[in-house]
Amino acid sequence: MAGKALAAASGKPFLAINHLEAHALTVRLTSDAPFPYFLLLVSGGHCQMLIVYGVGSYTRIGTTRDDALGEAFDKCAKLLGLPYPGGPAIERAAKQGNAQRYALPKPMFGAEHADFSFSGLKTAVRLLAIEESQKPEGLSASVVADIAASFQRTVVELLIERVGVGLKKAAAARPTALAIAGGVAANESIRAGLTELAGAHGLKLLVAPPALCTDNAAMVAWAGMERLMLGQRDGLDTEPKARWPLAS
């Protein structure tokens, strides 16, 4: 309502922006990525792979069947006594840990489809935390660091495999690049792993600076600019949408 009031009072055009589209287009703000490109969108509430054909034109290749990856980071951090948001907390702890200490499951690893699942991995971390807490050492700083490092390694390996499947399914679209967006895209280990994957497919990895990966006003403004430059407008009778899938 505030946005509509500002538009009406100033005589400026009003544009309704899809939060997910704002994430999807952020790499064009920082790298001027040409369409079409392959996008991995990973945040606290979303985990999906899409082909971005243009502003307002998306085809979904795969999505999570349960939890989003950002949610898994947050909940696993809480289980380990780490602060919120969980992504940065786990990444900091993982730098001090042994990533090979614990073997954790990789749900849907090797599946022919391109979907994700993180519920089983999250449950495995919960059970591991309970088991370790009952030992004499308990959830010491070193144990927490090792669990965090093992969790992060597992996530990176799982993402590389799942996105690899997605890229094969999107090959016919001839994507110009592999892009990642959303809060989880700020993770350095994930960026490094996907950089190697992109190179193996002859693509460049495109990712916005960390400050533009998490929810921010600049990405919404840029999505508005993209639509405005195409001559798009929305009426002041536009209603907000609690759920607005990109593929729709």
Side-chain angles (χ1 to χ4, degrees):
M1 293 305 297
K4 290 178 181 180
L6 286 170
S10 63
K12 303 285 187 186
F14 176 77
L15 293 103
I17 302 302
N18 184 331
H19 164 226
L20 297 183
E21 181 165 52
H23 276 304
L25 297 175
T26 299
V27 292
R28 285 174 52 79
L29 168 61
T30 56
S31 62
D32 194 27
F35 298 121
Y37 54 86
F38 185 96
L39 174 69
L40 170 64
L41 176 56
V42 276
S43 67
H46 305 278
C47 186
Q48 52 189 298
M49 292 182 282
L50 307 122
I51 303 174
V52 181
Y53 287 104
V55 178
S57 180
Y58 307 89
T59 296
R60 194 173 73 185
I61 301 297
T63 188
T64 179
R65 296 191 179 184
D66 40 59
D67 300 331
L69 182 53
E71 179 187 357
F73 267 102
D74 288 339
K75 291 188 175 179
C76 287
K78 185 176 182 179
L79 290 169
L80 298 175
L82 297 173
Y84 180 89
I90 284 185
E91 185 173 16
R92 286 192 299 269
K95 291 179 180 179
Q96 310 301 320
N98 175 10
Q100 303 300 325
R101 180 172 177 181
Y102 300 105
L104 295 169
K106 301 173 187 173
M108 296 188 178
F109 192 97
E112 292 185 0
H113 58 72
D115 286 349
F116 300 93
S117 172
F118 298 104
S119 179
L121 175 57
K122 184 180 66 178
T123 298
V125 171
R126 179 175 64 83
L127 296 176
L128 179 59
I130 293 173
E131 179 185 345
E132 291 295 331
S133 67
Q134 295 172 345
K135 295 181 180 178
E137 184 181 357
L139 284 178
S140 65
S142 63
V143 170
V144 168
D146 289 347
I147 295 177
S150 299
F151 169 78
Q152 183 172 262
R153 172 186 57 79
T154 302
V155 164
V156 172
E157 293 175 355
L158 185 56
L159 279 181
I160 290 173
E161 191 276 336
R162 294 285 76 204
V163 175
V165 172
L167 284 170
K168 291 178 181 178
K169 291 184 177 296
R174 301 176 66 87
T176 61
L178 166 60
I180 54 173
V184 181
N187 184 287
E188 293 179 2
S189 295
I190 289 176
R191 290 182 181 220
L194 292 178
T195 296
E196 291 187 16
L197 176 66
H201 285 263
L203 301 173
K204 182 180 180 181
L205 181 74
L206 300 178
V207 57
L212 294 180
C213 289
T214 53
D215 291 351
N216 63 89
M219 72 178 193
V220 176
W222 176 253
M225 285 293 295
E226 289 264 38
R227 293 194 55 206
L228 193 64
M229 288 186 287
L230 293 174
Q232 298 180 13
R233 306 285 194 279
D234 291 296
L236 293 180
D237 59 346
T238 301
E239 296 183 357
K241 298 180 181 180
R243 298 191 66 83
W244 194 357
L246 273 183
S248 67

